[in-house]
Amino acid sequence: MSFFLPNKLNPQGQRLLTIIIALPVFVSTSYILYKRVASEEPIRKPMVREQTPTPNDLFAEYERDMERQRKEADTSSSTSTPSA
C-alpha cells in the first residue's frame, strides 16, 4: 500500500486504510450477488463490440460507392438522351 501514501502508517492507520478500500468492494459485490439470488436477475454477459472497419475496408466501400454512382450516371445519361 506504499503507492497510496508515501509515509509508513501505524498499524491502526493501516487497518483503517484497509477497511476504507475493502468495504465498498465488499458491499457492492454482496448487493449484486443478493440481487441475482433474491430476484433471480440474470447474469450480465459482456458486451460484444462490433469490429471497427479498417482503412482498407473503408477504401473498398468508397470505391464500390463511386462505381455505383458512375453506373447510375451512365444509365441516366443514356436514357435521357433523345434519339434523333
Side-chain angles (χ1 to χ4, degrees), residues 10-23:
N10 59 10
Q12 190 174 10
Q14 188 69 32
R15 269 187 240 115
L16 181 62
L17 182 63
T18 303
I19 290 170
I20 289 172
I21 292 172
L23 190 63

Side-chain angles (χ1 to χ4, degrees), residues 5 7 10 19 25 27 41 50 53 60 65 67 69 74 78:
L5 299 171
N7 299 333
N10 59 10
I19 290 170
V25 173
V27 170
E41 184 176 303
E50 294 180 14
D65 288 343
E67 185 65 31
Q69 287 177 356
D74 289 345
S78 65

